[in-house]
Amino acid sequence: MWNKELEAAIKAGLAAKEKIMEIYNHGFEVEIKSDHSPVTLADKTADKMIREALAKEFPKYGFLTEESEDNLERRKKDCIWIVDPVDGTKDFVAKNGEFTTNIALAYKGEAVLGVVVLPAFDTYYYAVKGQGAYKVIKNGKPERIHVNDKTDDLTVLCSNFHLSDLDKAVIKKHEDRIKHVKQFGSSIKTCKIAEGSAELSYRMTNGTKEWDTAAMQVVIEEAGGYLLKLDTLEPIRYNREDVYNREGYIVVNRKENILL
């Protein structure tokens, strides 16, 4: 199930990757949006490309994308594409390569398909509910990925630009088990945990939205891990009226490592 959608999402993501890297390598201006976050031509162009490509294939599906005006008519749809064309725009602007393109499909509120493209590293991850998670490097063969089984000597991955005092405090609180702290941008953190390179990542604040988490949630879940809201320790639901992930979240390889 969802194989046609997966093929279309990967194709759209890889096409957007080419345009994103063209802009990345040839210079761009940075605008500041009303929420004080940066946006570039790469965000806007990739958003338009992905939306048009997927709408052509699936005209009856709804859309929620970062750079397009939200239309709450989407809430009447069973299937909705959730897209962040450049997740980690601050990383894009900083030219550190640690940004992603996130494309997810939600069905009746559940994220069921996720594609996370790393344009600067010529790599992408994908997952479909019930079918496992995979990594592809430079158009090679898909490699199935899985979280590791570590429960001590843990590595936590933090944001390059959004590490809060609350994040620091919870890491400090559990320094008996969290021994390593590394920084990565965007959805790369969750993909690293999905492939077994780390065990934990926190977002204790309310700054993320549905398009930041939907694709990577499918990847981590299909790799055997968890992305859970901090208040209820339940998976995030999608196609909500309020698109903010106000409760924050934790990404973890095993439930034994939910350290709050």
Side-chain angles (χ1 to χ4, degrees), residues 158-188:
C158 300
S159 171
N160 287 325
F161 294 99
H162 303 287
L163 181 60
S164 70
D165 289 340
L166 290 172
D167 297 325
K168 293 176 183 177
V170 74
I171 293 168
K172 176 71 173 176
K173 178 181 177 181
H174 297 288
E175 62 183 0
D176 59 322
R177 293 180 62 194
I178 298 175
K179 300 299 185 181
H180 313 279
V181 179
K182 297 181 180 180
Q183 289 181 278
F184 286 96
S186 65
S187 297
I188 292 175

Side-chain angles (χ1 to χ4, degrees), residues 106-169:
Y107 175 66
K108 294 185 176 180
E110 180 182 26
V112 296
L113 179 158
V115 175
V116 179
V117 181
L118 283 58
F121 299 103
D122 208 9
T123 296
Y124 65 93
Y125 298 79
Y126 69 88
V128 174
K129 188 164 184 64
Q131 297 183 29
Y134 296 84
K135 178 180 182 180
V136 180
I137 302 174
K138 294 184 178 179
N139 297 317
K141 292 183 178 180
E143 173 192 353
R144 189 157 186 173
I145 59 174
H146 202 280
V147 297
N148 67 43
D149 293 327
K150 290 181 66 174
T151 56
D152 57 15
D153 192 29
L154 303 177
T155 296
V156 62
L157 302 184
C158 300
S159 171
N160 287 325
F161 294 99
H162 303 287
L163 181 60
S164 70
D165 289 340
L166 290 172
D167 297 325
K168 293 176 183 177

Side-chain angles (χ1 to χ4, degrees), residues 187-204:
S187 297
I188 292 175
K189 295 183 291 295
T190 296
C191 292
K192 289 286 185 183
I193 297 170
E195 68 182 15
S197 299
E199 294 75 49
L200 276 165
S201 185
Y202 294 98
R203 188 63 181 263
M204 306 297 289

Side-chain angles (χ1 to χ4, degrees), residues 238-256:
Y238 293 92
N239 198 14
R240 309 184 306 266
E241 183 171 349
D242 177 10
V243 301
Y244 277 90
N245 298 319
R246 298 191 182 276
E247 304 85 355
Y249 61 85
I250 182 173
V251 182
V252 63
N253 65 327
R254 296 171 62 93
K255 285 192 173 180
E256 296 96 315

Side-chain angles (χ1 to χ4, degrees), residues 194-232:
E195 68 182 15
S197 299
E199 294 75 49
L200 276 165
S201 185
Y202 294 98
R203 188 63 181 263
M204 306 297 289
T205 54
N206 62 4
T208 67
K209 299 177 183 177
E210 290 192 25
W211 48 73
D212 294 302
T213 56
M216 69 183 190
Q217 181 167 328
V218 187
V219 172
I220 188 67
E221 288 178 349
E222 286 301 306
Y226 304 88
L227 191 157
L228 305 170
K229 297 190 296 180
L230 292 176
D231 58 344
T232 61

